[in-house]
Amino acid sequence: APVHKSPHLKRLNMPVFISTDAESPVFNPLLFRFTRSFPCTFFLEDFPDSVSSLGELNSPVDGVPLGPYLMPFLDAMVVGQAWQFVGTEHSTFSTFVADVLWRTYHGFEIVQRG
């Protein structure tokens, strides 16, 4: 989207990656505030050439397509590399990223729970 030109809004031009299982997240009304506020918002689906090979992988054992299982892991790995991570409360995906991936990628000990 076009970046903000007003000086007081320029800080919102930072790149934001949103990991979501919503279909067509750019058009999802629940994500509209993010995409409207942060013009440099990206989703995994914005990189079809980079992820297309994952969609073509099948299990050599039983031929099951692996893309639907691998895409969430790739999504988690991307957000785990972020400078800052904000998760969804009570989400096992967010807990995994926050407690394991983000901490590991940034040199911290893994959070032990339970």
Side-chain angles (χ1 to χ4, degrees):
V3 296
H4 298 294
K5 301 292 184 198
S6 300
H8 71 284
L9 294 177
K10 283 189 176 185
R11 290 178 29 180
L12 298 175
N13 292 335
M14 72 173 68
V16 173
F17 182 85
I18 297 178
S19 176
T20 179
D21 56 0
E23 291 192 27
S24 302
V26 172
F27 303 108
N28 188 302
L30 297 174
L31 299 171
F32 181 68
R33 284 189 177 174
F34 291 105
T35 56
R36 186 170 175 206
S37 299
F38 298 94
C40 299
T41 300
F42 299 97
F43 304 95
L44 194 57
E45 77 171 21
D46 291 326
F47 307 96
D49 293 340
S50 298
V51 300
S52 63
S53 60
L54 287 180
E56 299 168 4
L57 293 176
N58 294 312
S59 168
V61 175
D62 55 11
V64 171
L66 297 175
Y69 303 102
L70 295 175
M71 293 300 190
F73 283 112
L74 178 59
D75 232 355
M77 291 171 65
V78 171
V79 297
Q81 295 283 338
W83 170 76
Q84 181 71 38
F85 170 76
V86 178
T88 303
E89 193 173 349
H90 305 297
S91 163
T92 54
F93 178 88
S94 293
T95 301
F96 172 67
V97 172
D99 291 355
V100 179
L101 289 182
W102 191 90
R103 296 186 64 80
T104 300
Y105 292 153
H106 291 86
F108 298 105
E109 299 255 343
I110 294 174
V111 173
Q112 299 293 324
R113 297 186 188 259

